[in-house]
């Protein structure tokens, strides 16, 4: 059977191809009776409508934003911070009447063809490691781009928080309570799957810029309090999961002398550290203080944390892309806030 096209319908009705096209794309240009007749004939002939990909190429727009991030889709829909950010971005997209094309890149996935083949009008890039080939492909497309959290790309808008200052605020809180045996549990330093102790060289060579900067804030606050950063143990995990936080917590709490405060760079890891303390019968906050980051899964657990405006950050990124402001290299930093709850207190003794 020959393929049914707009021209097939036009020939059947004795009208122009443009008239048939208007029935699908610009119905206000036709009378109700003519449009109804065109749609009836289209249905009789089995015509489903114009090819959306071909139409987007003709119009020069796809009606969708590409969301590129360095995690699996399953993780993204389970992580509290990611969900809040997605909600904000989706709100901006819905207001503009466009869709979202989600392009996940799990840790270690160095492909760029996902970006090359994406039919989108703009890209929102979230938390890619330095030098990822997908980012180079995004920039080569010459479409509007906004980067969220990391990496910082000169000449393109950036949305996030002041990571070094936020990290310093988290560390300064426990230091101000009198803690001097401080330890750190972190995810997002590298994308090589490593879990274990992270020495200073590995910390400073982290490929995720935001986590590198956040850790730098911890170091700055500790050194200002008179601590030698090389004496602050850092345990790195490959995945941001509660079980990974539990593993990190067990490793850190087996140290002698045992830390009296543990800083974590996500709330999910902090919850795992609390699990480890419970396993070992260590009282929080009597014997151990724990601080999270992002305030996305913290309130119910009474976790002290740094609050990020995750939904507002998502909305801002979307509006920058949709308003045309992505052509300007704006650097927009949102406020953060230290939220003190029941997981921190002065050290024992």
């Amino acid at each position: 059977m020959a393929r049914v096209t707009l021209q097939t319908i036009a020939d059947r009705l004795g009208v122009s191809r443009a008239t048939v096209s208007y029935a699908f794309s610009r119905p206000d240009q036709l009378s109700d009776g003519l449009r109804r007749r065109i749609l009836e004939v289209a249905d009789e002939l089995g015509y489903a409508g114009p090819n959306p990909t071909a139409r987007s190429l003709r119009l020069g727009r796809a009606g969708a934003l590409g969301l590129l991030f360095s995690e699996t889709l399953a993780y993204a829909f389970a992580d509290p911070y990611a969900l809040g950010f997605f909600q904000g971005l989706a709100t901006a997209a819905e207001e503009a009447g466009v869709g979202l094309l989600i392009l996940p890149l799990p840790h270690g996935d160095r492909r760029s063809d996902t970006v090359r083949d994406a039919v989108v009008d703009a890209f929102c890039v979230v938390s890619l490691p330095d030098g990822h080939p997908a980012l180079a492909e995004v920039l080569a497309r010459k479409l509007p781009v906004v980067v969220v959290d990391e990496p910082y790309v000169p000449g393109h808008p950036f949305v996030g928080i002041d990571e070094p200052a936020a990290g310093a605020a988290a560390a300064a809180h426990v230091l101000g309570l009198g803690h001097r045996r401080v330890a750190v549990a972190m995810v997002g330093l590298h994308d090589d799957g490593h879990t274990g102790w992270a020495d200073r060289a590995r910390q400073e060579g982290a490929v995720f810029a935001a986590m590198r900067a956040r850790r730098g804030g911890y170091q700055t606050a500790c050194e200002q309090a008179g601590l030698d950063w090389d004496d602050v143990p850092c345990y790195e995990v490959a995945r941001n999961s509660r079980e990974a936080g539990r593993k990190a917590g067990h490793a850190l709490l087996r140290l002698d002398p045992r830390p009296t405060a543990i800083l974590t760079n996500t709330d999910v890891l902090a919850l795992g550290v609390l699990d480890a303390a419970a396993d070992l019968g260590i009282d929080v906050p009597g014997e151990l203080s724990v601080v999270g980051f992002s305030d996305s899964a913290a309130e119910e657990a009474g976790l002290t944390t740094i609050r990020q405006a995750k939904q507002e950050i998502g909305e801002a990124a979307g509006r920058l892309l949709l308003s045309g402001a992505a052509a300007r290299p704006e650097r927009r930093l949102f406020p953060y806030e230290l939220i003190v709850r029941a997981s921190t207190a002065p050290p024992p003794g």
Side-chain angles (χ1 to χ4, degrees):
M1 183 179 295
R3 186 169 69 92
V4 178
T5 66
L6 292 175
Q7 190 62 55
T8 309
I9 300 168
D11 292 342
R12 172 72 67 91
L13 290 168
V15 298
S16 69
R17 183 185 181 282
T19 298
V20 177
S21 178
Y22 284 166
F24 293 95
S25 61
R26 300 177 62 185
D28 58 305
Q29 300 296 305
L30 303 178
S31 68
D32 290 343
L34 178 56
R35 181 171 186 265
R36 190 183 314 111
R37 180 59 183 146
I38 291 172
L39 295 179
E40 287 173 354
V41 171
D43 186 58
E44 290 171 9
L45 296 174
Y47 181 70
N51 183 305
T53 302
R55 182 171 184 270
S56 70
L57 292 174
R58 288 197 304 275
L59 297 176
R61 57 183 175 81
L65 303 178
L67 172 59
L68 187 67
F69 59 93
S70 59
E71 262 301 349
T72 64
L73 196 57
Y75 170 87
F77 283 105
D79 179 71
Y81 176 81
L83 279 176
F85 171 80
F86 286 178
Q87 287 170 355
L89 185 63
T91 296
E94 286 176 356
E95 288 175 355
V98 301
L100 283 177
L101 178 62
I102 300 177
L103 305 167
L105 285 171
H107 281 289
D109 187 341
R110 308 290 289 179
R111 294 176 302 155
S112 60
D113 56 325
T114 302
V115 171
R116 189 182 311 120
D117 300 335
V119 182
V120 297
D121 299 310
F123 284 101
C124 180
V125 175
V126 184
S127 297
L128 285 191
D130 296 343
H132 198 291
L135 179 59
E137 194 68 46
V138 164
L139 299 178
R141 295 273 309 262
K142 305 296 184 183
L143 294 172
V145 176
V146 168
V147 177
V148 177
D149 291 342
E150 56 199 344
Y152 176 63
V153 182
H156 293 276
F158 175 89
V159 182
I161 65 169
D162 186 338
E163 295 283 358
H173 170 62
V174 295
L175 294 164
L177 291 172
H179 292 273
R180 289 301 178 268
R181 297 206 305 269
V182 178
V184 177
M186 293 198 72
V187 65
L189 293 178
H190 295 268
D191 60 351
D192 57 5
H194 173 74
T195 290
W197 301 106
D199 61 18
R200 188 161 180 166
R202 185 169 177 85
Q203 295 170 36
E204 294 176 349
V207 298
F208 287 91
M211 298 302 102
R212 188 171 65 238
R214 194 175 297 178
R215 184 218 63 88
Y218 295 157
Q219 179 178 343
T220 296
C222 286
E223 290 178 342
Q224 288 176 347
L227 298 187
D228 184 340
W229 184 253
D230 289 330
D231 293 334
V232 177
C234 179
Y235 194 89
E236 175 188 1
V237 297
R239 302 285 297 175
N240 184 35
S241 70
R242 190 160 178 162
E243 188 55 37
R246 188 179 208 150
K247 181 174 183 178
H250 275 278
L252 292 168
L253 294 171
R254 284 197 299 265
L255 293 173
D256 186 14
R258 192 173 72 200
T260 61
I262 295 178
L263 303 169
T264 68
N265 66 337
T266 74
D267 287 343
V268 174
L269 288 189
L271 295 177
V273 171
L274 293 178
D275 291 339
D279 292 342
L280 299 171
I282 298 171
D283 180 62
V284 177
E287 298 174 89
L288 175 70
S289 287
V290 180
V291 181
F293 206 105
S294 82
D295 199 29
S296 53
E299 186 171 2
E300 185 175 344
L303 180 66
T304 294
T305 187
I306 295 291
R307 175 175 290 167
Q308 289 180 273
K310 47 191 176 296
Q311 191 158 341
E312 291 85 347
I313 288 172
E315 287 188 35
R319 293 198 172 105
L320 277 172
L321 286 172
L322 293 163
S323 67
R328 300 191 295 272
E330 176 183 355
R331 185 175 175 87
R332 186 171 180 187
L333 298 182
F334 276 75
Y336 61 87
E337 182 183 3
L338 173 70
I339 305 297
V340 178
R341 297 194 180 97
S343 69
T344 52

